[in-house]
Every structure is written in C-alpha cells, then in structure tokens.
Amino acid sequence: KPDGKVYKQSLLGMKPSTSWTLLSSEPKNISAVTVFNGTIYAVEYAEKRVYKHEGLEPFSSWTGPISGNFNLRLSSLAIADGDLYVVTGANMYKQALVNLSSTSAWLGPLSNEQRLRSMAIELVDPGAVEGVWNPGFVGGLRVRCEDGETQLLEGECRMHCAAGAVISQNLVMHYDNMSHEANVTLTCPATHTGELVTTCFDGRTSYTGSCGMNCQGMTVVINGASVDIPGLSHSDDASTYYQFACPGSYTGNVSARCFDGEVRWFGYCSKACEGGRYESRSAIIDYPAMSHLETYTGRCIAIFPLLSYSGNVTFECEDGLVSPSGGCYPDCTAGTIRSSGVEVNYPDIVSGAEESTSCEPNDMYGTVSIKCVRGFPEITGGTCGIPCWGNIYKAAVTRDWPMVLPDIGHMKSRWVTCPPQVSGMLLISCSNNVVSAINGSCGERCASRPLRVYGANFNSPTMQHLEEFDQPCLTPFEGVVSLKCAFGELSVKSKCKQGCFADRMTLASGAVLSYPDMDPGEQVGMQCPDGYAGYITLECGDVVPFVASGGCFAHCMASRFYSEIWDVEHNIILHRDTAEIQCRPEFDGYVILACDSGVVTLQEGGCFKRCTNGRFVVRLGITMRHAGLAHQEVTPSMPCPEGFVGSIRLGCDNGVVSIAEGECPAHCGSGMIDGARFNGLLHRTNASLVCPIAGTIDVGCFDGYVSVYQGNCLSGCEAGSLMDDTGAIIMYAAMDHLGNVTGICSGDRAGYVQVNCSDGTAMLDPLPGQRCFSHCPDGANLTTSNGSVIFAPPSDHGQQAPVKCPRNPGSVFVRCEDGELSIASGLCGPTNCAAGSMEVGETMVPYPEMNDGYESEAPSECPGIYLGEATFECAKADVSVLNVTLIYPAVPGLEAINFSVANSTPDFLAEHDQEYFRLCGCCIPADQPPGADPIPGVDMRKIVVWGVSVAGGGFLIALASGAWYLRPDRFKKKMSRIAPSPEESAGKGGGDCSQSQKAIVEYVPKPKSIPKVNLREKWDGPPALDWS
C-alpha cells in the first residue's frame, strides 16, 4: 500500500472474504514492489532509491537504501537472473543483486535508443524480439510470432515535433525541432514580460506560461490630485502592486500593477485642511492647517475680558473638511445658592468642576458640594440644616442615664463617652437638629469576683463595658482564661490545657498506637503498626492526644470473598493493593479483588456459570437444541425452520442461554387488512393491494405481521345522523366515498342540508341557504296592523294557516318562519266583506267571507238548473262579481248540464284545466237544434275519388295539426271556448243577457278568434269578439 505497509495472501483458495497478512508496518512512500528468495525489494518514490525488507515480520523495518540515487523517479522494478532491473522515466537500468549498495552504480540505459515506456517490467520472453523505429520517431516494440501471426507484446512509438510557432496574447513565438517529451523555454521580447515552456509530445506541441504586454506610463487624477504612474512590466501575480504617493499636501497613495498592457490601480488622495477659527457662544479657538486625519486640540478663549470659559475642542481633518468635537462652556462666577432655605455662598467655579462650601453662617450648619454645569451652579451633594447644640441626651442606648452632648454640626458626628453610671462610647450623629446614636454602646461595668475554672483559680478585675482580659492558667496547665464584659455580664472561657502522658490509644481502624509524653499542642509522627499501612501524626490536646493528620489503614487478611452466586478464597491483600484470582472449576472467568482499609471489593471480572446442553425456545413455534456451552461461547449458525427465514447463533452468558446473533422472523400468511385481501407474503416483501371501495395500499410483511406503509383504503359512510352547530339532528342515507346526499332535519326542525362522505366520515356541507329551521310548537298572540289581537296556533316551519278575525269579518294568514310566528297577509277591519249572496244573471249565488282586496278562494256554483260558477271580489266592504265561467271538458257525449265540478277528481280537472267557457252570468242551457233534412245520393265513384282526395288531404292536415299541437308550450296560445252573446254578435258591447235566457237563440256565425279568459280574470261584462 502507498503508506509503506506490505501485505501478502496465498494464491491457493483465494476468496473475496480472505484476509491479508501484514508483513511490514514501517511507513514508506512505496510505488512498486517485487519479491525474490523471501526478500521484498521496493522503490521509494520520493527518494528515488531501492530498499529491501528481510524477515517479513509485521514490526520489522526496511533496510536501505541499497541503491544509488536517480535523477528521475523510479516507477517499477523486477528481478531476473540475479540482476535487479528498474524503470526510471523512459529508460531501463540494471544492477547485480550481489553489488547492491547505497553508492553502487547502475548499468544503462540498457536498450540504447530503444526506450521502454512501460510502467511495469516483465521477465524476458524467449520468443519475443524487439523492433527498431524509423527516423522522426522514438520508442520500441516487443513482438512475437505465434503460428504465423505477429503479436504485439508491449511498447509504443512517439513522433518528434517539427519546428513551428506558438501564439500567446497575439504574440507569435517560434521554436526549432524538438524530440518527443523535450522541453524548450521561449523568452518573451522586450515589449512583453514572461516566458513560454514549450513541450513536445507525440508530434504535438503545447506550452505553459504567457507573454504579457508591458504598460506605458500614465497620469491618474484622484480627488483633484494628479498621480504619475511610470511604465510597468506585466505581472501574472495578482498580489504584486507598486505604490505611488499622492503629490503636495494630499495624503495617501495609489497602488498600481500591469496586466497585459492594462494598468490596474486603486487608492485615494485625501485633501489637507486649511487653518481657521471656531466660535462657540462668546468663546473662540484658532486651529492651524492640518493634513488628512491630523487632529488639533485647542483651549476655549473668551472674547470679552469679563467672561470666563472652560473646555477644549478637538478638530480633525478628513479629506479637506474639519470636524470639531467637544465644546466651550461658560464658568460659574461667585454667588449665592439656597439649600433647604439656607443661603450658601460659593466662589468662582470652572465649568465641570465641583467645590465644597459651608452653609451660612458657618460649617456648623452643614456643607454642600456645588458643581458648575455649563455656567449654572447645581448642588450635587450635602445639605444645609440646623446644628445640634450641646444638650442632655437620654435614651435606651444610654441605659436611660442622662448623657451630656457637645455641639455637633449638621450632618456631622462625634464619639461621646457614656454617662458615669455606665461605661462605653456612642457615635452621635446630627441631622437638622435631630441627634441619633449610629454606633457604639453603653453598658454596666463588671465588678470583681472570685472565679474557679478548669486550670485556674483567681479574682477577676473590675472591667469596663466591652473590655477583654486574659488570665494565665495555673501550673501544670498552659494557656489562658479569656474574660469579656458586656452589659455587666462577664463571659469566661478557659483555654487551659494539660500535657499528655505516655500511653496507648486505639484508632477507629483498630490500630493500637503507643505515644510518648507530649506538651499541649505538641505533635508526634509515627509509622502505623504491623497489619496496617500509613503514617500518622498525633497532637496533644488536653491530656489526650488526637489525630492531626494521616491515618492507619488495615490490610485485608486471608479470607473468602462472596458474591451473589460464587465465592473465591484469597490470601492477605495489602491496603490499596489488588489480587487476581481464578474462579472455581465449575465457573469460568477470573476476578481482581482490591483492598481498601481492610475491606475487600471486586474491582474487575467475575465468575460466570456454564450452560448445560438442552433446548432453547427461540420464539413461539421454534425450539432449537444446543450442546453445553462455556461462558461467552456461541454455537455455530443454525438455520431457522420452514415458515421462517434467517439463522441464529445461541450464546451462553453466566449460565443463561440467549440469542447471541441473528433472528428467525416469520413469513406472513394470507389475510385481510383495511378490507383488502392478500395472499401469503415472505418476510420483508411488499405487495400492492386494491381496496374494496376506493384507493390502493402498499403493504409489507415483517416478522409475520402485515402493515400498511403507503396509501389508504377509503370507505363509504353508513346511514346515520349528524348534529349541526344549533343542536339540530340531520338524518342522512348511506353513501359512497366522496359522494353526497341531502340530509333531512328531524325532530322539532325542518329543512334540508347536504351531507358529504370522506373515507367513512360524514360531514355537513350545506349549500347556500340550506339549514335546519325550527317549528313553532307554541301558539302566540299577534297584533294586526289595525290593532286587532289574534291567536296564532302552533305550526310547522314554512306553513301558514288562516285565522278568523275575532270581531270583524275576514281572516289573516299566520306563517311560521324558523320558530317565529308572524302575520303573512290580511288584516281585520270594517273594509272586509261578510258572507252573503248576490244576483248573478237571473239567480242568486252565495259567496263566502272575504278580505278587502281579495277574491273568493273558490268559485260559487250556480244553483239549480243554471250553468256556471261565479268568482267574487271584495273591495272596501263592497262585493262584486269577478267572472262567471263554465268548465266543460271536451269529452264526447258529455253534456254541460250533466257535468259537475264537485263530482270530478282533481286529476280530471287538472287534465282539462284549459277547457272552459266564459259566461255573462248563470244561464240555462239551450235546446238541441233540429236535425238536418235528407240529402240526395251521389255517384259512388265520385265519392271514392273524393274520399281518397279527402283522406290524403286529411292526412296532410292531420300531420300539420299534430305538429302544431305538439309544439312546445312557449309557442302555445290558450284558446277560449266561451260562446259569444247576441249583443257581441251584433258588434255591441254591454247590454243585458235576457236574450240568452230564451229557449230559442238566433244562430250566428262562429267568430274568427275568441278571447282567452282566465278563471280568476276580473269580470267586466261580455268581451268584444273579432268577427272579421
């Protein structure tokens, strides 16, 4: 490998999984290697030398170099007949193996003009010969004759290059003849800079480098400054720039370089600034001329002698512009300022400075700090107030004894001795004639009294409050007894100690130590006794010593160490030492026990059970046999049974058998998922299923379970109900996925709402105007427009019902809309018409109760033998006939006198709704006209001809009539069948109808057109007919 590591592999039984054997791991930049008689010979690429490697051990080193250096790098090597052959560049050299040394010479080139161009060396082929090239070419071939055919074994020929020229930057550079792989350097002329390295390869030339044109001098103008740039030589280095300073008072420079005749430059020349005067308020500052980025700081000078200014201004020049910073501010002249109503005289203060001055009349009244802020004095600290003159002070801090105070200035303090009845001192502070104790204390003295404490027996002295005193201890004790007096209470603390007499002491670890006589505080160091490790220092306290530092730690005696299921015996283990112990024969493993201050702990390892032979349940349906296993041992790979895939290896871990490697996932049988059926699937195989209703799903089998990993099976929606936002229940029928039905509002609601289905989920999707409306389950009193109160009965949504007016004729229609009752039409009042009868023609016809502006709901049938039915109209309490009609269905054999609307079905009336006559009143039907006289006979032949003609013409007329009759309704015109009156026959309008009541009526021709009259058309007398 290129990193210098050499590997080998047996040629016998080589497989893709065969491992390589490492022979050498010393880093070397190896480019080629060969083996001869158990020694590796290799080429070091960078040093151009040959090294050898003997022994072939993984951690052995290379020997060498064993050859001299080449001018060209070695690319390959081989050994034949005791000689080492190498290729360097295009030549071959050799050297005898017995002569190899770091200074030995190489023989070669071996092939004279025949140059080897192979990157590898083959041993000499006895049947091969070498060829010779023609002039103008270079190289060599090795060919062999095989059964009359010439075979090329290796080699190639390359062409030399004839004289020519190359072009760089439009500059033509000529070169002479060149050999293959030769290089010629062409120098650019004086007008250009650079060189071209021309290379010949197989008859073709190429070059590297360039000839760039030099640049002539020029002048650039920057910010008004003229900078001269002289002639520059071309440079390919983009980082090479020459700097030229800006002229005169300008600051800066210009950087320029030349690239192929073009001057590339950057930079800037900044202008200098002229001197001038700066004015601020009544102060001036004169600043001098400055170069770019130069600064000058000047002091403010007042224009008028009586004024005083402070401050400095810094001026900076930037490209001809002067920028000031700072300012001139007036000083504060001496004057008076008030603080807490007290006058304070202050001297002259420089702007920005601060002075401390006393309040008037003296500093007993306080001190304030005054700062001059741009000509205005401001108090920045302190106050003025009334001082605290000498007086008697009595408080809890004086133990309620009177204390004489001296004079204390405002915001000042003084230490004052406590009253003679007590002792101590107080720090008294004054603030505007108010005194307070801010530190110290007053307390009772401690009288002398006899004391007997550990190590001492004495009389204490009389002590002041907070006074401390140390009394030396009596012999043989050392130390002192500390006394402290506080508020008349004496605190006593004995620090007397005796020495320690020689004795023995037992430590917590069990070590027994013998110590000599020691004075109090004396320390003695000693080694721990046998059976313990460590060094300990004892210090004498009071009679008994204690451990000052160190310790004695017990070793661990020989014993038995127990764990959960195993135990081992161990010899003595020194403190902080370890011992490695093999487990008992029935266990595998080892343990490392550690001793820490007499306690043995397990530091590493363990004893593990072996596994006996038996059966192991891999999973439900798979049980495998195994032999006895040692701890951490695994079985050979065992294939899974039919119905499963894979293999497993069982392992033993501390007596427990488990799966150490592999698995036995199950295949999947046939079944159904999301309603789609599938056949058996192998583990980790996939299938695409078509859903029973809509959609497709991609399923996969994993360890006996089929799951969906892509797609969805979409289902329809069963019939059911939904609730909207108002609580209404909408019932809907079953529907397919993405289908819709019209749901019906149920319960106390009415209406329709569209319901959509998406993958088994029904959703309300109302169209515009669709929703559930509430019924009106309870009646309500309503007031009409004229003030009448009516009771509206319960009603369903969208329904209306008539309600009789309570006191007046007429009725109103009440309508229910989404739970609200309202008056839809009509009103109660005197303008309505009460029920009655009216003469129509020659008979009286009854009419019902009607509202003002309304007509009768149904026609009133003429009584008795009269034909027709009358429709009435009410207008402001006046009843009039709207029209009189005779419904006479065009049924053969049906006489008008025999037809009654009351005895006809609604379907029959609807079928003949256009078959009626308009009458001028209720009338008696006319008698039948007399029959016709006999007619003489005719020639039957004529009749036949006439019949055929009539039949043909009748067929054509019938065809046209049928087409006309079956035309669309929008082209139809309703024809009236109302018979004309005699007056209308005479062309007159109006008149009475007496003639129409006679038994015999004059026959008149049928009018050409009969006007159309609707059943509810207002009756205004007989209509005018067109008799033209």
Side-chain angles (χ1 to χ4, degrees), residues 556 573-574 576-579 592-596 599-603:
C556 299
I573 305 175
L574 300 180
R576 295 290 176 90
D577 199 1
T578 59
I592 295 179
L593 302 180
C595 175
D596 185 7
V599 179
V600 178
T601 58
L602 178 64
Q603 186 181 69

Side-chain angles (χ1 to χ4, degrees), residues 239-257:
S239 63
T240 300
Y241 275 88
Y242 300 93
Q243 291 189 349
F244 304 96
C246 296
S249 60
Y250 286 88
T251 302
N253 55 65
V254 176
S255 298
R257 64 180 290 258

Side-chain angles (χ1 to χ4, degrees), residues 990-1009:
D992 59 21
C993 297
S994 60
Q995 295 295 326
S996 65
Q997 307 300 323
K998 296 180 180 180
I1000 299 176
V1001 181
E1002 181 183 3
Y1003 178 78
V1004 294
K1006 182 178 179 180
K1008 201 169 187 179
S1009 63

Side-chain angles (χ1 to χ4, degrees), residues 735-760:
M735 51 188 154
D736 292 335
H737 169 67
L738 296 182
N740 64 77
V741 296
T742 300
I744 302 174
C745 301
S746 63
D748 59 346
R749 306 293 179 93
Y752 303 93
V753 179
Q754 179 175 279
V755 180
N756 291 342
C757 176
S758 177
D759 192 16

